[in-house]
């Protein structure tokens, strides 16, 4: 395999860059030096990394919505409407752009103009191009992040970073496995090495750009060790290309102890692996995603899900929380619904802020469990790659050592089966080929057996199905009726 975890050579990068910039006409407006100047002229208050660093110092959890519509003016109005209710802003990119279908995005823009409303599910930043993207950044006081789901996000990165966005979400694994069916993992990882290298070039010029691997993956009963393993790998890949500001993410599972432990373990493991790889000059923060699975349609019930996620984010000490809306079950939120999600979140964060979750041996035990699981998986990843984490990651997916539940990618084994235990923590029902220690597997089985006993049924796939729909039907655990 040619792909390795090595900093891309400058010559090769520049040659590739010339090709990337030609894939759509707006690429020609981007000039790296001009992008650096523009970034350096931004006030500190608009730099994502500054706001994150301050929150880390203050022990505060920041809030961030998702939001994006087809047209520039409407997108600006939307973000200006949300800005007073949150700490960090997004620009959520539409599905055509995520697939590099810029012709389709162009049609979507035209049809949106004609319809007088957005007919895209996000902001098509590549089609709008550099100047229009700068209009977005300039219309706002708070930092803006690009949030998407793009296996090949090279041109999107070139345009938005030169336009003054100060954070970039995604990664070669986390924006492939849960999003694409047939994109080879080697290819998406290679394309994300490009994105990370680009961020690294800005860093070399004194421009700090936050990089956030997408934590929740499929958002469906993902055990913490699975998403943590991927997050740490993507963090390592980003650091290797010269990124310096990393936010590792995790999607709420629903059990208080497991979720608090997961954020703690994520932060500690992040430092452990980054330092072991020889990195010390980096900033690390965490993001907690409010429940990413199915939501109740009833808006009052949806607010309870949002509130619970907000409370846990604050108690866990996450640096930021990504906020859902009461429209989650229906589809794209109105701007009012989006603001309601933020307001509910802010109320909860403000009430929980000063409270500290007490030292607890139960949380401690869960932290240790997650750490042992991640270490077992990552040890195998490094072994499979003969020490190279990129080679190892690709082989680990082939071997089912890295296995994301309910992900569409054909290169993902899909053999690992999670299920909730009797308190709603996500446990391993079937490990597939994931190399967890025997005593860890025995513990998971024990916890699942407890639930099976309480429900008077044998552990079976039906439990998993029941769990997937439980929260949308107002429960955490999918109990039999
Ligand atoms: N505006 C608001 N929310 C969005 N999501 C996706 N695109 C947008 C957008 N343009 C949300 C979905 C889901 C999550 C994955 O992202 O509603 O909550």
């Amino acid at each position: 395999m040619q792909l390795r975890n090595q900093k891309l050579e400058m010559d090769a990068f520049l040659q590739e860059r010339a090709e990337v910039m030609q894939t759509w006409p707006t690429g020609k407006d981007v000039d790296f030096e001009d992008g650096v100047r523009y970034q350096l002229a931004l006030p500190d208050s608009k730099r994502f990394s500054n706001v994150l660093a301050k929150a880390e110092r203050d022990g505060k959890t920041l809030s961030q919505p998702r939001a994006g519509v087809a047209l520039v003016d409407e997108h600006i109005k939307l973000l200006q409407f949300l800005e007073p209710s949150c700490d960090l802003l997004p620009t959520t990119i539409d599905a055509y752009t995520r697939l590099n279908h810029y012709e389709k995005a162009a049609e979507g823009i035209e049809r949106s103009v004609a319809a007088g409303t957005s007919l895209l599910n996000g902001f098509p930043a590549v089609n709008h191009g550099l100047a229009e993207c700068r209009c977005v950044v300039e219309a706002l006081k708070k930092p803006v992040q690009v949030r998407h789901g793009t296996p090949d996000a090279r041109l999107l990165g070139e345009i938005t970073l030169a336009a003054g966005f100060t954070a970039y979400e995604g990664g070669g694994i986390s924006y492939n496995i849960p999003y694409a069916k047939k994109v080879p993992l080697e290819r998406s990882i290679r394309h994300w090495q490009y994105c990370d290298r680009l961020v690294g070039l800005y860093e070399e010029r004194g421009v700090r750009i936050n990089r956030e691997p997408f934590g929740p993956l499929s958002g469906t009963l993902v055990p913490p060790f699975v998403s943590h393993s991927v997050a740490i790998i993507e963090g390592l890949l980003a650091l290797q290309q010269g990124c310096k500001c990393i936010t590792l993410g995790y999607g709420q599972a629903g059990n208080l102890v497991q979720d608090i432990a997961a954020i703690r373990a994520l932060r500690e493991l992040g430092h452990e692996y980054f330092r072991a790889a020889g990195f010390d000059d980096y900033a690390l923060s965490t993001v907690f995603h409010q429940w990413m699975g199915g939501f109740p349609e009833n808006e009052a019930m949806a607010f309870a899900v949002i509130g619970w996620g907000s409370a846990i984010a604050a108690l866990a000490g996450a640096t930021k929380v990504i906020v859902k809306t009461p429209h989650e079950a229906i589809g794209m939120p109105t701007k009012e619904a989006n603001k309601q999600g933020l307001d509910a979140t802010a109320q909860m964060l403000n009430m929980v802020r000063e409270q500290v979750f007490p030292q607890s041996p139960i949380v401690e035990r869960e932290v240790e469990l997650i750490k042992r699981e991640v270490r077992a998986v990552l040890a195998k990843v490094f072994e499979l790659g003969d020490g190279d984490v990129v080679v190892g990651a690709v082989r680990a997916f082939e071997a089912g050592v890295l296995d994301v539940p309910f992900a569409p990618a054909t290169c993902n084994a899909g053999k690992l089966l999670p299920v909730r235990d009797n308190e709603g923590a996500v446990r391993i029902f079937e490990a597939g080929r994931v190399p967890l220690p025997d005593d860890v597997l025995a513990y998971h089985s024990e916890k699942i057996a407890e639930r099976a006993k309480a429900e008077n049924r044998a552990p079976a796939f039906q439990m998993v199905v029941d769990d997937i729909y439980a929260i949308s039907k107002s429960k955490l655990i999918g109990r039999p009726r």
Side-chain angles (χ1 to χ4, degrees), residues 133-422:
C133 286
R134 283 185 177 173
C135 290
V136 174
V137 169
E138 281 165 26
L140 303 163
K141 296 183 200 69
K142 291 179 176 164
V144 201
Q145 178 184 37
V146 186
R147 302 190 66 87
H148 43 134
T150 314
D152 177 2
R154 293 172 297 171
L155 182 57
L156 179 66
E158 289 279 4
I159 291 173
T160 52
L161 295 183
F165 288 77
T166 53
Y168 205 63
E169 193 193 29
I173 302 168
S174 63
Y175 269 7
N176 178 340
I177 303 294
Y179 284 97
K181 206 168 167 180
K182 288 184 304 203
V183 177
L185 192 54
E186 293 93 326
R187 193 196 296 166
S188 58
I189 289 179
R190 180 59 184 72
H191 288 340
W192 274 91
Q193 284 182 321
Y194 179 103
C195 295
D196 287 331
R197 186 74 168 88
L198 177 64
V199 168
L201 288 175
Y202 276 99
E203 290 281 355
E204 281 175 24
R205 303 296 295 276
V207 177
R208 180 138 287 198
I209 302 287
N210 173 252
R211 277 283 293 114
E212 178 190 337
F214 174 62
L217 302 179
S218 65
T220 310
L221 301 178
V222 179
F225 83 86
V226 173
S227 49
H228 285 16
S229 298
V230 172
I232 288 163
I233 291 170
E234 290 192 345
L236 287 169
L237 301 199
L239 290 167
Q240 187 71 33
Q241 300 300 326
C243 299
K244 302 238 175 258
C245 179
I246 310 283
T247 302
L248 298 183
Y250 166 74
Q252 178 183 15
N255 170 277
L256 168 86
V257 170
Q258 186 172 44
D259 283 337
I260 290 178
I263 287 290
R264 266 199 33 207
L266 182 57
R267 189 186 289 274
E268 291 171 13
L269 286 164
H271 284 304
E272 179 179 318
Y273 278 89
F274 295 171
R275 284 175 189 151
F279 299 104
D280 44 27
D281 174 26
Y282 63 86
L284 176 64
S285 49
T286 58
V287 50
F288 185 84
H289 289 250
Q290 291 175 1
W291 177 243
M292 289 291 281
F295 254 65
E297 274 179 42
N298 179 308
E299 294 190 15
M301 289 155 71
F303 279 122
V305 179
I306 289 168
W308 183 232
S310 309
I312 303 296
L315 287 174
T319 323
K320 70 171 184 177
V321 57
I322 304 286
V323 174
K324 288 276 180 172
T325 82
H327 284 177
E328 176 60 25
I330 311 152
M332 293 275 290
T334 61
K335 66 180 192 312
E336 290 79 11
N338 211 331
K339 180 177 182 304
Q340 286 181 328
L342 290 170
D343 289 343
T345 298
Q347 174 73 19
M348 185 63 82
L349 291 177
N350 289 336
M351 287 175 63
V352 177
R353 182 145 295 147
E354 291 79 7
Q355 305 190 45
V356 177
F357 194 76
Q359 283 267 345
S360 146
I362 303 171
V363 172
E364 215 61 53
R365 178 178 182 165
E366 201 66 34
V367 170
E368 283 314 310
L369 177 70
I370 296 168
K371 285 185 175 178
R372 286 191 61 210
E373 292 166 337
V374 169
R375 288 181 192 133
V377 169
L378 290 183
K380 192 73 191 170
V381 169
F382 281 103
E383 185 194 315
L384 286 169
D386 300 318
D388 186 291
V389 68
V390 165
V391 178
V394 173
R395 290 183 183 156
F397 271 101
E398 278 166 10
V401 164
L402 286 169
D403 192 352
V404 178
F406 310 108
T410 49
C411 61
N412 181 69
K415 296 251 188 283
L416 179 130
L417 211 53
V419 74
R420 292 194 187 281
D421 69 15
N422 207 36

Side-chain angles (χ1 to χ4, degrees), residues 51-52 55 60-64 87-88 318-321 349 353:
V51 178
L52 288 174
K60 190 185 161 187
T61 302
L62 306 170
S63 69
Q64 185 180 14
D87 302 298
L88 298 163
T319 323
K320 70 171 184 177
V321 57
L349 291 177
R353 182 145 295 147

